[in-house]
Amino acid sequence: MTIAIEKHPCFNDSSRHSFGRIHLPVAPKCNIQCNYCNRKFDCMNENRPGVTSKVLSPHQALHYLQKAMDLSPNISVVGIAGPGDPFANPEETMETLRLVREHYPHMLLCVATNGLNVLPHIDELAELQVSHVTITINAVDPEIGSEIYAWVQYRKKLYRDTNAADILLDNQLEALRKLKEKDVTVKVNCIIIPGINDRHVEEVARTVSELGADILNCLPYYNTTETVFENIPEPHPELVAAIQRETAKHLPQMKHCARCRADAIGIIGQENSDEIMKELTEAAKLPMRPSENRPFVAAASMEGVLINQHLGEADRFLVYAFDEQKQAPVFIESRSAPPAGGGTRRWEAVASVLGDCRALLVNGAGDSPKNVLKNTGLEVYTLDGVIEEGVKGVFSGKDMSHLMRISQMHACKTSCSGTGGGCG
Ligand code: SF4
Ligand code: SF4
């Protein structure tokens, strides 16, 4: 299969008026803190300052892409650029890329990252024929990097100062090397921050050029309130132009980057249409995963009538189907819950026991198990009330806020009469 890489409107100036791109906003979290970034908004390294995009699950994103392709058939590239960092959300990012590749074999795939955690995924990126990767590298000197990054979270540990900048830089440069070994086209973004790295950008350009980067995008820093850098003025356009001239000695320049929002779609520079924004909103309301293969709903209950057990204390789950004709739940069976303890492994075991269930109704659950289960396609509802009503609510999509209201008032763990197993 040949993928026409010249159709990328960001990497090829000549394609930008005829081909469009779509960003799929599936990556909300970030694993570093840049001193110019306010995380109320999209990632500042690639996206438009001050804009907040919606977040979709991989399956919602695929649905959105299908609708977007109907409205904008000239889309040649699917990119993931936030709203956080794609590889701070590797499961969501990789699943989205797999789904898109499966359904659109000729589509160009592109990701934009801070580079901290892309390395472990490069082999699969290459297998999926992800042809374009952007890494934002603002400094190749850890002393300068330590002024730009407040912290870096790497392998579950938090680093600060030059340690943080060192770890980030090592991973960025190693990722660049490996991406080039795999023949991926790499753009490097460098944010010009006056007084911090403006005299250092040429050094960045020289270093990344030696490692094989294909193109450099020197972006002016954007002043944002509630950030460490909020008092630093934006660089003058003449300074930006001078840096672009200087760094052009080392690398071709991208000058038409529009810093699109993390859910941008269409020709670069054009606003998202109302029609497409409506599709995005609708996609966000869909189930996180398709539920055709999940015909059941499970509940945690002591006596089989009320939803009155916390996830952490349930020793069995009651599984129900739904009789569409009678509009009534049908009890199927009782399944043993995995034993207490084991942290995330316990929740993965619950996901496996309830692999054919679309929802689990409990009286309380911690955020951590909820997230683990949600990522496997099992939505956890914390409800107070009769099982029958909850099961009906899930299958019919009816409002269940009257069941939720009471349980939301109990903080997690305060309502657990528990076994001490806890919710992790
Ligand atoms: Fe913000 Fe992006 Fe930096 Fe993360 S990488 S802190 S989202 S600018
Ligand atoms: Fe292209 Fe820049 Fe927009 Fe990314 S942010 S899609 S590189 S124009």
Side-chain angles (χ1 to χ4, degrees):
M1 177 189 45
T2 321
I3 296 175
I5 62 167
E6 68 282 357
K7 285 188 187 169
H8 197 311
C10 311
F11 287 69
N12 294 287
D13 201 13
S14 56
S15 301
R16 73 177 154 123
H17 300 295
S18 33
F19 293 102
R21 77 316 181 213
I22 182 167
H23 280 174
L24 297 179
V26 296
K29 291 179 284 184
C30 192
N31 44 11
I32 69 174
Q33 179 61 58
C34 304
N35 283 333
Y36 46 74
C37 175
N38 179 341
R39 287 308 332 276
K40 286 180 192 161
F41 308 116
D42 290 355
C43 174
M44 295 272 285
N45 286 343
E46 174 92 353
N47 301 301
R48 183 156 333 152
V51 168
T52 312
S53 299
K54 283 206 175 304
V55 176
L56 301 178
S57 74
H59 283 273
Q60 291 170 336
L62 180 67
H63 173 90
Y64 168 57
L65 175 60
Q66 285 157 347
K67 295 286 176 189
M69 290 296 288
D70 293 343
L71 293 168
S72 258
N74 64 351
I75 289 171
S76 61
V77 190
V78 169
I80 301 180
D85 186 83
F87 299 98
N89 308 261
E91 289 86 13
E92 292 83 354
T93 295
M94 297 310 293
E95 187 179 357
T96 305
L97 293 171
R98 280 179 219 123
L99 285 169
V100 176
R101 177 53 77 229
E102 190 188 326
H103 289 81
Y104 296 92
H106 296 284
M107 187 68 83
L108 289 172
L109 295 178
C110 177
V111 284
T113 172
N114 60 39
L116 178 66
N117 191 39
V118 61
L119 207 45
H121 305 283
I122 291 177
D123 286 336
E124 193 182 355
L125 291 177
E127 274 164 36
L128 289 168
Q129 293 186 278
V130 173
S131 52
H132 296 76
V133 172
T134 294
I135 308 178
T136 298
I137 303 179
N138 295 323
V140 290
D141 174 344
E143 290 293 335
I144 297 175
S146 70
E147 293 185 53
I148 300 173
Y149 306 106
W151 51 256
V152 158
Q153 190 178 23
Y154 184 62
R155 296 186 178 158
K156 298 192 175 162
K157 272 184 78 178
L158 198 75
Y159 297 87
R160 295 182 190 274
D161 305 317
T162 47
N163 286 338
D166 243 334
I167 288 170
L168 179 61
L169 180 62
D170 282 353
N171 279 285
Q172 290 171 327
L173 298 185
E174 195 47 39
L176 172 52
R177 255 184 231 115
K178 189 159 178 192
L179 285 163
K180 290 316 301 174
E181 263 172 39
K182 298 280 180 188
D183 213 18
V184 175
T185 301
V186 179
K187 168 159 73 75
V188 170
N189 283 358
C190 185
I191 313 272
I192 302 167
I193 314 160
I196 304 285
N197 72 345
D198 49 345
R199 290 164 186 264
H200 179 62
V201 181
E202 189 177 359
E203 185 61 17
V204 174
R206 195 184 54 71
T207 307
V208 300
S209 155
E210 282 168 4
L211 293 173
D214 296 275
I215 184 165
L216 185 68
N217 184 13
C218 298
L219 293 157
Y221 144 83
Y222 184 89
N223 180 280
T224 307
T225 55
E226 297 175 49
T227 64
V228 175
F229 285 174
E230 67 180 349
N231 295 320
I232 295 183
E234 289 168 22
H236 194 280
E238 276 175 21
L239 174 66
V240 177
I243 289 175
Q244 284 172 338
R245 273 196 305 277
E246 206 173 60
T247 53
K249 287 186 247 159
H250 303 282
L251 276 171
Q253 303 285 306
M254 176 183 188
K255 293 186 184 168
H256 64 279
C257 179
R259 299 184 92 165
C260 312
R261 40 192 297 160
D263 57 12
I265 170 175
I267 298 288
I268 293 174
Q270 288 178 359
E271 289 296 324
N272 288 3
S273 69
D274 290 347
E275 217 177 349
I276 199 70
M277 293 314 274
K278 196 169 148 244
E279 291 298 347
L280 180 61
T281 309
E282 290 304 315
K285 290 184 197 159
L286 293 172
M288 305 278 287
R289 275 176 187 267
S291 50
E292 313 91 68
N293 300 325
R294 291 178 172 266
F296 305 129
V297 167
S301 173
M302 284 184 263
E303 74 303 304
V305 178
L306 298 173
I307 305 159
N308 53 11
Q309 274 189 312
H310 194 282
L311 173 59
E313 65 182 345
D315 55 1
R316 58 164 191 171
F317 298 113
L318 307 178
V319 175
Y320 296 82
F322 193 64
D323 185 326
E324 293 286 347
Q325 272 188 339
K326 294 183 186 154
Q327 286 292 294
V330 180
F331 175 68
I332 300 291
E333 62 185 358
S334 169
R335 295 182 191 167
S336 296
T344 303
R345 283 205 311 282
R346 182 182 180 199
W347 312 124
E348 286 166 355
V350 170
S352 162
V353 167
L354 302 179
D356 51 1
C357 296
R358 63 183 69 179
L360 171 60
L361 316 180
V362 294
N363 191 243
D367 287 341
S368 166
K370 271 181 159 176
N371 287 336
V372 172
L373 295 174
K374 190 171 183 169
N375 280 335
T376 68
L378 183 67
E379 198 74 43
V380 178
Y381 293 87
T382 49
L383 305 176
D384 270 319
V386 180
I387 296 174
E388 195 167 318
E389 243 190 294
V391 174
K392 248 190 206 170
V394 172
F395 280 106
S396 64
K398 278 193 189 140
D399 180 25
M400 292 196 285
S401 50
H402 61 294
L403 297 175
M404 285 173 187
R405 207 180 57 240
I406 306 167
S407 62
Q408 302 299 351
M409 294 191 307
H410 295 293
C412 175
K413 292 183 177 128
T414 58
S415 61
C416 178
S417 57
T419 56
C423 235

